[in-house]
Amino acid sequence: AEARAQLARVQELARAGMEELRSLIFELRPAALADEGLAATLRKHLGVLRRVYQQDIALKVAGTPRPGGAHDGDVFRIAQEAVHNAVRHARADHIAVGLDARNGHLVLTVDDDGVGFDPAAAAVRGRRLGLIGVGVPKRQKVGQQFHHGQRIA
């Protein structure tokens, strides 16, 4: 009985440790963004998420994002929030992140095959949702269009 209790405690500590690690990864604001640029920093971040979550997360970059772009931090944070939501809440099997830096514009897309959600549902309105609430100033600042469900662009 004592061994079972200890095993349950160890399992709980391991679960709590993984949750803390996941939270830390989600909250990272990489110092490398200014040095390495948005595409390289995003590639590294998604690589960490792939290993931690054992998730299929692909990145496709078209063009070359301008180094030190004024909104790189905001775009990175939006990508973090969108991928985090797909991994944690959407039950997605595949997540595709696109970064298109052609024609003088920077376009971030995050697509997943998850369940999506209805933003008008009472259960959703009462929760803190990063892309809907916390991310609004960032989205407005960079001119993001947000499509509820399985794709942001």
Side-chain angles (χ1 to χ4, degrees), residues 1-70:
E2 185 176 327
R4 279 197 182 123
Q6 287 178 347
L7 179 59
R9 176 72 178 138
V10 167
Q11 288 173 329
E12 176 59 27
L13 287 172
R15 187 197 60 72
M18 282 301 292
E19 284 299 314
E20 186 172 335
L21 176 62
R22 288 175 176 151
S23 293
L24 288 172
I25 289 169
F26 178 63
E27 294 301 324
L28 286 177
R29 293 181 185 261
L33 194 57
D35 295 332
E36 297 180 23
L38 180 59
T41 304
L42 188 56
R43 184 174 285 111
K44 286 181 180 180
H45 181 71
L46 296 177
V48 170
L49 291 178
R50 261 187 235 99
R51 288 188 299 275
V52 170
Y53 288 99
Q54 298 294 302
Q55 186 78 38
D56 178 21
I57 306 171
L59 173 64
K60 181 178 180 183
V61 178
T64 305
R66 189 178 67 238

